[in-house]
Amino acid sequence: MQHIISIGDFDRDAIDRLLDHAGQIDKKQFDAHALEGKILAVLFFEPSTRTRLSFESAIARLGGTSVSVGSMEACSMAKGETLADTIRVVSGYADAIVIRHPREGAARLAAEFSTVPVINAGDGAGQHPSQTLLDLYTIRQSMPIDGTDVALIGDLRYGRTAHSLASALSLYDVRLHTLCPTGLELPATLAERLAEKGMEIIAHDSIDEIIGDMDVLYVTRIQRERFPDSASYFNVTSSYRISPELLAGAKDNLIVLHPLPRVDEIDPRVDASPHAKYFEQSHNGVPVRMAMLMQVMQ
Ligand code: CP
């Protein structure tokens, strides 16, 4: 039984194999009955559009079905049932569980009590490994990952997509550049771990000074829901915005990624630019999650 809780569950070869498989799926080279008769439990205790629907789409495209819970209020956790008991029960109803939870570490806890594979679809400010796999897949569609300069922009403290992606990029020959409002830097423990692995991490104050050298801009939303109060959130909103004027100074092959949803950090005028890859990125969630489901459910 294989759980996917953190991107650290993969080494580079395992990532590359999974992305190769997703590439075959993208070319329609897959068995549409591969997971016939299998049931995926989709437990989402935080809002989601992309992750939830693309996992549901992925299992359906492989011939399986899904059962789901969309909030704590909609299940017996509202009556006081623990996550552990919920998982013990649900693992008897399904062949795998995808879970999103506001608490960091919840997916790991779920894996301890599950008798079927658990996939972490986002645990608080922790990890979001399936997002990272589709992020890497999207980069690979435009350029080899090795040798790139990648800028992580936005909420690097609470942004789980940034945490998972930074960890994954440390497996490649990537120079990581960070830009964030003061107080929203990468967690020190993560930055230290990446540095120990030999990753070069360079912090910047202004995107204008580096735009001409970047291959990938990975832009993230300020994670409003993780702030202790609205005043501290409003202190850091609208700190940065990717605009066509900024991108005029970029390399021709620069790509702009965003896990979405966006708020105001990418000007909608960028959407028409050849640099904008974030909607393709969100669509890549289906083949990448199909490959993940085949890996853990077959
Ligand atoms: N990127 C991402 O996790 O989006 P959702 O919150 O819509 O699932």
Side-chain angles (χ1 to χ4, degrees), residues 42-208:
V42 179
L43 307 184
F44 271 54
F45 302 119
E46 270 194 340
S48 170
T49 298
R50 280 145 289 274
T51 313
R52 180 174 176 174
L53 293 184
S54 59
F55 266 117
E56 290 180 346
S57 174
I59 185 77
R61 286 182 189 279
L62 291 167
T65 54
S66 58
V67 291
S68 66
V69 163
S71 69
M72 289 193 198
E73 294 71 34
C75 71
S76 287
M77 288 175 80
K79 303 175 201 163
E81 187 167 51
T82 62
L83 178 63
D85 280 358
T86 301
I87 295 296
R88 281 189 179 108
V89 170
V90 172
S91 59
Y93 299 158
D95 300 291
I97 295 172
V98 178
I99 181 169
R100 170 170 290 188
H101 197 283
R103 210 171 63 234
E104 199 170 328
R108 198 166 292 288
L109 180 91
E112 280 175 31
F113 291 93
S114 179
T115 55
V116 298
V118 171
I119 298 177
N120 180 8
D123 61 324
Q127 284 265 326
H128 195 347
S130 66
Q131 177 70 45
T132 295
L133 292 166
L134 73 91
D135 296 340
L136 297 174
Y137 184 78
T138 310
I139 296 172
R140 269 192 9 170
Q141 285 181 319
S142 293
M143 64 193 82
I145 299 172
D146 281 322
T148 52
D149 281 272
V150 177
L152 287 185
I153 303 171
D155 185 346
L156 309 187
R157 176 177 180 182
Y158 297 117
R160 57 195 174 203
T161 63
H163 301 165
S164 291
L165 181 61
S167 298
L169 291 175
S170 71
L171 301 173
Y172 296 83
D173 175 22
V174 167
R175 242 196 323 262
L176 194 66
H177 303 261
T178 60
L179 286 122
C180 61
T182 303
L184 297 186
E185 294 82 8
L186 280 177
T189 49
L190 174 60
E192 282 160 20
R193 207 165 56 238
L194 300 178
E196 276 165 18
K197 290 169 87 175
M199 188 177 217
E200 193 177 349
I201 307 177
I202 310 155
H204 302 273
D205 295 326
S206 155
I207 189 162
D208 301 270

Side-chain angles (χ1 to χ4, degrees), residues 138 141 276-285:
T138 310
Q141 285 181 319
K277 298 291 181 196
Y278 30 91
F279 290 115
E280 286 169 53
Q281 180 187 0
S282 69
H283 296 160
N284 287 337

Side-chain angles (χ1 to χ4, degrees), residues 198-259:
M199 188 177 217
E200 193 177 349
I201 307 177
I202 310 155
H204 302 273
D205 295 326
S206 155
I207 189 162
D208 301 270
E209 68 193 35
I210 59 163
I211 187 67
D213 299 322
M214 293 301 105
D215 299 296
V216 179
L217 300 186
Y218 191 88
V219 189
T220 63
R221 170 180 71 89
I222 305 290
Q223 307 285 300
R224 181 178 189 161
E225 64 275 28
R226 315 254 178 255
F227 279 71
D229 53 66
S230 47
S232 46
Y233 167 73
F234 283 112
N235 280 342
V236 294
T237 50
S238 308
S239 312
Y240 52 92
R241 187 171 170 86
I242 308 302
S243 65
E245 291 75 22
L246 174 77
L247 295 177
K251 288 182 185 175
D252 288 346
N253 64 346
L254 167 109
I255 60 171
V256 180
L257 302 182
H258 191 309

